[in-house]
Amino acid sequence: MTGPTAPDPLLQLALRVEQDIFLVRQRGREVAAAVGLEHQDQVRLATALSEVARDLLHTVDGADVTFAVDVDAATGRPVLRVDLAPARPLPDGRYEPQSGAVARLVDVLAVVADEGDTVVRMSRRVPAHAPALPPERLAQLRDELASSAPGTALDELAAQNTQLIAALDEVRSHRDELEVLNAELQETNRGVMALYNQLTEELEATNRGVVALYAELDEKSAQLRAASESKSRFLANVSHELRAPVTAIIGLARLLADPASDPLTAEQARQVGLIRSSAGDLLSLVNELLDLAKAESGRIEPNWAEVDLRAVFGQLRGTLRALATRPEVELVVAEPPAPATLRSDEVLLAQVLRNLLHNGLKFTERGEVRLRAERRDDSWRLSVSDTGVGIPPELHERVFEEFYQVPGATRVVGTGLGLPYARRLVKLLGGSLELSSEPGRGSTFTVTLPEGGA
Ligand code: ADP
């Protein structure tokens, strides 16, 4: 069990009487310190050594103790090796320390055969960060150990006491630390519980708030719906009531201006003309209001049927030609690609397109107003584009609000009800009405309708 070459001993001692146990212990600690073992390991080795020394003294009348630095075959690192060669053969050639814990104090504690003799060997690794141990250093250590005088048994007892006190101190400080840690842990636990409770309460409060908010929202939307319904009802009633007297005024004015009636002075004829045109404007406003109110209250029921877009476009081409009075503006109604059919309400659809074309003609001074149809998958895109004044982007949604007219364009007559009405109708037909426009570059209103109806 020896290495190829047995290391030179650093120190040798004889263990024969009780006092030698102290000596072995003390010298063991000195050697351990000299080769670079850490303080705790020095104490461990010294303790193990004194235990084994006591056992051997009692069982085999002592031993020859040899300290040496060896090299661990597995790691190539130095180890401190202590061999105790028994004075008499070990019983059965075996050795078991009295206390089982002793073996744990060192890396190796075993009985080995060394050059025919049986020795008890213990060893402990020298830590990697300890100073190197070249042969010169070992020779120096050997000299130092040889010249240092061993202390008395009393000295060793005192040293042992000091070590014990230090170890006890360490244990106590560990226990104190543990107590502090425990207290901190309990504190933290209490804190976490408090936080958790607080969060739970806040969450509950927030939930209650959200529920209340939803209830309020529901109530508000019900109120809004009711308000919108009464507005539609009011508009319908007022416009209905206004229609009869306004129509009467127009009829009477026509009668007054009739050549068969009493002749009027030129001034009277002019004034009657004014009355007629104002009443005419009023009637168209009343009619549009009535239409819108009807659409909003859902009282318009589309008359669903197969609609031929070519027929609708042809009709629009004919009726709107009369409106396109400016020679600088061309009205183009492009022929839809065949088969140009969809399920819809022909009258309502024609009303929407007429409205959009009418606006195009109103707001375009030169260029063209074009109606075209395009099929995309299962829907139709009917677009009315013009090269007119255009609409600023921030007003693209506002023009669909009732009575809204883009400021500055007021010299063109109108009510501001056409677009909201058109959008309502398109919605009833299951589609959408969108606008894209740039001021000065014209506008495009696009009606998208599903081919199969709403
Ligand atoms: P009206 O034409 O009777 O004023 P609408 O609801 O049809 O009412 O249109 C609202 C406003 O939107 C118009 O007053 C006009 O300012 C703007 N507008 C509508 N169509 C066009 C268009 N083709 N080009 C430019 N502006 C338009």
Side-chain angles (χ1 to χ4, degrees):
M1 286 289 277
T2 47
T5 50
D8 291 335
L10 275 179
L11 181 69
Q12 285 179 310
L13 298 170
L15 169 72
R16 292 291 177 270
V17 292
E18 204 74 24
Q19 265 112 343
D20 292 342
I21 298 174
F22 291 104
L23 186 70
V24 166
R25 187 182 198 284
Q26 187 195 27
R27 297 300 267 171
R29 193 157 42 77
E30 278 171 26
V31 176
V35 299
L37 258 59
E38 282 168 354
H39 179 75
Q40 294 224 352
D41 278 348
Q42 295 168 23
V43 177
R44 281 197 185 98
L45 185 95
T47 309
L49 199 51
S50 75
E51 285 300 304
V52 175
R54 188 187 318 280
D55 286 349
L56 293 185
L57 188 65
H58 293 157
T59 51
V60 292
D61 297 329
D64 291 325
V65 186
T66 309
F67 295 90
V69 169
D70 201 358
V71 174
D72 182 60
T75 63
R77 295 283 317 152
V79 293
L80 173 60
R81 195 177 97 178
V82 189
D83 282 351
L84 297 102
R88 287 193 291 113
L90 293 165
D92 300 334
R94 289 155 56 109
Y95 165 68
E96 281 290 337
Q98 290 280 308
S99 158
V102 170
R104 287 206 297 273
L105 297 174
V106 286
D107 294 329
V108 174
L109 174 59
V111 175
V112 299
D114 187 33
E115 291 170 2
D117 295 331
T118 302
V119 303
V120 176
R121 174 171 294 172
M122 63 177 75
S123 64
R124 179 78 190 168
R125 275 188 308 272
V126 176
H129 52 78
L133 292 168
E136 316 80 72
R137 171 73 184 140
L138 289 177
Q140 189 191 353
L141 287 181
R142 195 173 298 122
D143 290 347
E144 281 172 13
L145 287 167
S147 60
S148 72
T152 62
L154 218 55
D155 292 341
E156 182 54 18
L157 199 62
Q160 207 173 339
N161 263 346
T162 320
Q163 287 156 15
L164 196 62
I165 289 166
L168 280 175
D169 246 10
E170 204 171 320
V171 169
R172 202 185 37 233
S173 84
H174 275 314
R175 202 192 48 210
D176 290 351
E177 263 173 40
L178 210 63
E179 271 172 12
V180 170
L181 274 180
N182 254 340
E184 275 175 15
L185 199 67
Q186 275 176 4
E187 195 60 30
T188 312
N189 268 352
R190 269 197 297 278
V192 168
M193 277 313 288
L195 202 66
Y196 176 78
N197 286 340
Q198 193 183 340
L199 276 179
T200 313
E201 270 170 31
E202 272 175 24
L203 198 68
E204 277 174 13
T206 312
N207 273 354
R208 276 195 299 274
V210 169
V211 169
L213 212 60
Y214 268 111
E216 203 175 317
L217 262 182
D218 280 351
E219 199 183 318
K220 284 277 182 298
S221 9
Q223 283 172 1
L224 265 180
R225 245 193 328 272
S228 162
E229 276 164 18
S230 22
K231 185 196 77 180
S232 298
R233 228 181 0 258
F234 171 76
L235 283 181
N237 289 342
V238 169
S239 43
H240 191 77
E241 293 302 320
L242 274 175
R243 213 144 54 144
V246 172
T247 317
I249 292 170
I250 293 172
L252 286 173
R254 192 184 298 128
L255 256 179
L256 278 175
D258 192 349
S261 309
D262 289 344
L264 300 175
T265 64
E267 182 53 20
Q268 282 171 334
R270 195 183 66 81
Q271 287 174 359
V272 170
L274 277 179
I275 293 175
R276 245 181 91 177
S277 83
S278 302
D281 288 348
L282 195 56
L283 185 63
S284 58
L285 171 64
V286 165
N287 280 338
E288 282 185 38
L289 265 180
L290 196 59
D291 284 343
L292 185 64
K294 266 206 249 165
E296 278 192 352
S297 64
R299 269 188 286 141
I300 295 182
E301 264 293 316
N303 189 8
W304 297 104
E306 198 73 2
V307 174
D308 182 1
L309 278 180
R310 289 170 179 239
V312 175
F313 277 33
Q315 212 180 20
L316 286 170
R317 203 178 283 122
T319 52
L320 285 167
R321 196 166 292 139
L323 282 175
T325 46
R326 287 197 194 105
E328 305 86 2
V329 180
E330 195 188 353
L331 172 67
V332 183
V333 178
E335 192 68 0
T341 55
L342 79 159
R343 220 183 130 63
S344 195
D345 182 315
E346 185 169 335
V347 176
L348 298 182
L349 180 57
Q351 217 173 336
V352 171
L353 295 177
R354 192 178 310 117
N355 196 319
L356 297 176
L357 285 166
H358 196 173
N359 274 351
L361 289 169
K362 270 201 299 188
F363 297 102
T364 305
E365 298 214 306
R366 68 181 61 81
E368 65 165 33
V369 175
R370 178 183 289 268
L371 168 64
R372 81 171 71 121
E374 212 187 332
R375 230 185 112 122
R376 287 243 182 115
D377 300 326
D378 291 340
S379 60
W380 279 96
R381 288 160 64 91
L382 313 175
S383 56
V384 176
S385 47
D386 62 54
T387 54
V389 293
I391 300 170
E394 65 276 13
L395 301 180
H396 284 189
E397 273 310 302
R398 289 216 68 184
V399 294
F400 290 100
E401 288 174 11
E402 290 146 32
F403 300 110
Y404 188 81
Q405 295 182 303
V406 176
T410 39
R411 60 180 188 78
V412 186
V413 287
T415 57
L417 290 172
L419 286 179
Y421 180 52
R423 191 172 244 186
R424 278 266 157 204
L425 290 188
V426 173
K427 225 170 156 184
L428 273 179
L429 296 176
S432 62
L433 171 57
E434 301 301 332
L435 159 65
S436 77
S437 174
E438 251 184 78
R441 295 193 152 216
S443 317
T444 300
F445 288 86
T446 308
V447 177
T448 307
L449 288 172
E451 193 188 10

